[in-house]
Amino acid sequence: MTISRQPAEHDPAEATIPRREPQWSPNVARATRILFESLIGDDPPVRIALWDGSVLGPDTTTRILVRSPEALRRILFRPGELGFARAFVAGEIDVEGDIFAALAVRRGIAGAGSRLTGATARAAATLLRELGPRMPAPPPEEARLRGRQHTRDRDAAAISHHYDVSNAFYRLILGPTMTYSCGVWESEQVGLDAAQNAKHELVCRKLGLRPGERLLDIGCGWGSMLIHAARHHGVRGVGVTISVEQATQARRLVAEADLADVIEIRLQDYREIPDGPFDAISSIGMVEHVGRAMLPTYFDQLYRLLRPGGRLLNHGISFPGDPAGARRARPGLGPVPLPRGRDFLQRYVFPDGELHEIGVMVSLMQAAGFEARHVESLREHYALTLRAWVRLLEKNWPAAVGMVGAGRARVWRLYMAGSALSFESGRTQIHQTLAVRPDAGTAGMPLRPRFESPTTAPSQSTAPTPTTAPTPTTAPTPTTAPTPTTAPTPTTAPTPTTAPTPTTAPSQSTAG
């Protein structure tokens, strides 16, 4: 997908960052070209245009614009992902055209270590002499949290940084479903809204929801999962979030759906929920915010809140095959190690967010007393979802900038596009894990359950009236032939595993 160059207001690169007149000596531009050739090679996949009019690379419709040599100061003081990201957020580096094509420059980073020469060192010295020896202050969009990690107060601050931005902004990029998690795509043609409705229905079927049952949705967002479950499966629901903006909007949407008598939205930490048991629990895009040290507490609490025989559906992003995160703990420029530190997503998107290998989460879930019954990867589905969000953001770019400012809109553009590539390449994964709290050894699961969602949601149920729910003995079986829940693998070329730059994919990913 490319951004049209006309009219200019639909081009993020043109709409928000004014062009700056050249004001630096020719030595700065020459040193910049040498440095870029060392970092990405002398044959980049897209054109790189410098502030003085000089260019590197082929004549492509997509261009990486280096608006100011201030970008080089950021890169020199914070090599790798963070320096480039800060320059991008600040508008000193920009992408004109297809951001997915621009992110292909990361391929050159893999061999950067072999290209670091004496000329590279002299160019860096020239830039430091000409631009000054002090590191620029980070853009204001960078999170600055205080206090011990994963305390209630700090968790609330971390969630507020990402979610208490603007409900109207999220409506702009997520579409009318206001669902900030991976959709389930029957095909690439079904569209974002249908994919999100299919995801909600898949969760309901995996949980085996029945009229009158009590559903807890942890990290409920704007309430879309609960609204679907109450409307189509007749449940009574409780949703908890620690985002003030989400809770306010979710209550409004529940009322507009005429479901306020059966759905309660709470501004509440998962550790403070007092009123179990529930018949079923859904956790969609929540576990990423919990933190490795708190996962035992998290699953212990869910176990206590669920009745014997009840089901838990945990939907969360993970890293593949690296349980301790060791390979991601030390960034590098090719084979050259870079300083440790929080990356782009940690600082700008999901402060304190942590992703884990799926086996670790299943083990901790079972250690809490659950029995894991079904694990499904939706990796390709999240790539499709993220690309749909990027299209909506770029289509509505002027409105987005007006709502949250240019810097924050640029954060979202970079992180969502980079995350899509990360899912496509397999560097990031996402799984739905279905577990039960056994009842004296009885799981209440059918011998061969079928969870696949039909192409349309079931007809609306009548509002539930019972206050207690019967214990389900089997999951409902679809009355139509199941449809696949995986989408074709996108044709975008896979991305390498080296440390990204802001013209590269972030190392973590988006909400689940």
Side-chain angles (χ1 to χ4, degrees), residues 78-92:
R78 285 291 183 269
E81 174 181 324
L82 184 56
F84 277 93
R86 284 173 168 171
F88 184 85
V89 174
E92 297 154 359

Side-chain angles (χ1 to χ4, degrees), residues 167-187:
N167 287 326
F169 173 73
Y170 275 108
R171 171 65 173 75
L172 201 70
I173 61 175
L174 302 181
T177 67
M178 288 287 283
T179 303
Y180 194 25
S181 54
C182 169
V184 172
W185 299 71
E186 182 181 359
S187 71

Side-chain angles (χ1 to χ4, degrees), residues 401-416:
V401 170
M403 291 172 184
V404 300
R408 194 170 294 275
R410 294 162 65 80
V411 167
W412 256 253
R413 186 186 183 209
L414 174 61
Y415 117 75
M416 292 192 302

Side-chain angles (χ1 to χ4, degrees), residues 382-401:
Y382 217 158
L384 292 170
T385 304
L386 284 156
R387 282 181 175 267
W389 291 342
V390 171
R391 286 193 294 270
L392 285 173
L393 174 61
E394 293 181 334
K395 176 182 177 182
N396 298 290
W397 185 259
V401 170

Side-chain angles (χ1 to χ4, degrees), residues 223-257:
S224 58
M225 172 64 203
L226 287 170
I227 290 173
H228 181 98
R231 178 176 286 159
H232 297 296
H233 295 268
V235 303
R236 295 179 177 273
V238 173
V240 298
T241 176
I242 54 176
S243 164
V244 175
E245 291 290 329
Q246 281 188 339
T248 301
Q249 181 67 7
R251 289 168 183 150
R252 183 179 299 119
L253 293 174
V254 166
E256 290 175 358

Side-chain angles (χ1 to χ4, degrees), residues 12-162:
E14 291 293 322
T16 62
I17 307 298
R19 295 188 182 278
R20 298 186 172 107
E21 296 297 325
Q23 55 180 321
W24 306 93
S25 79
N27 291 336
V28 175
R30 283 195 293 270
T32 297
R33 288 194 294 273
I34 293 171
L35 196 63
F36 269 91
E37 287 174 355
S38 298
L39 291 175
I40 63 176
D42 56 6
D43 186 25
V46 297
R47 171 150 292 187
I48 299 174
L50 304 188
W51 65 91
D52 68 340
S54 60
V55 297
L56 292 81
D59 186 10
T60 55
T61 56
T62 293
R63 300 192 301 162
I64 295 172
L65 309 177
V66 184
R67 301 285 200 194
S68 166
E70 287 296 325
L72 279 299
R73 275 211 302 161
R74 298 189 189 276
I75 294 167
L76 288 171
F77 281 99
R78 285 291 183 269
E81 174 181 324
L82 184 56
F84 277 93
R86 284 173 168 171
F88 184 85
V89 174
E92 297 154 359
I93 291 179
D94 212 339
V95 172
E96 180 184 87
D98 183 353
I99 191 167
F100 294 100
L103 292 175
V105 299
R106 68 185 310 181
R107 297 169 190 160
I109 300 295
S114 63
R115 294 191 297 268
L116 301 180
T117 64
T120 309
R122 289 190 293 274
T126 297
L127 290 170
L128 288 175
R129 183 176 63 252
E130 296 278 351
L131 303 178
R134 293 187 178 182
M135 182 175 67
E141 291 79 12
E142 189 164 312
R144 296 170 180 83
L145 303 184
R146 292 177 173 82
R148 188 163 55 87
Q149 200 173 35
H150 296 303
T151 59
R152 286 170 171 79
D153 288 345
R154 177 155 170 157
D155 278 354
I159 292 297
S160 179
H161 173 83
H162 186 73

Side-chain angles (χ1 to χ4, degrees), residues 287-330:
V287 71
E288 299 91 336
H289 299 288
V290 173
R292 173 63 178 83
M294 294 301 295
L295 282 178
T297 299
Y298 178 69
F299 287 121
D300 284 345
Q301 172 70 340
L302 300 192
Y303 185 85
R304 285 193 294 269
L305 291 170
L306 191 63
R307 65 164 174 81
R311 300 183 191 179
L312 163 68
L313 190 287
N314 189 73
H315 172 121
I317 303 169
S318 62
F319 281 140
D322 187 16
R327 292 199 301 272
R328 307 192 63 85
R330 190 69 186 266

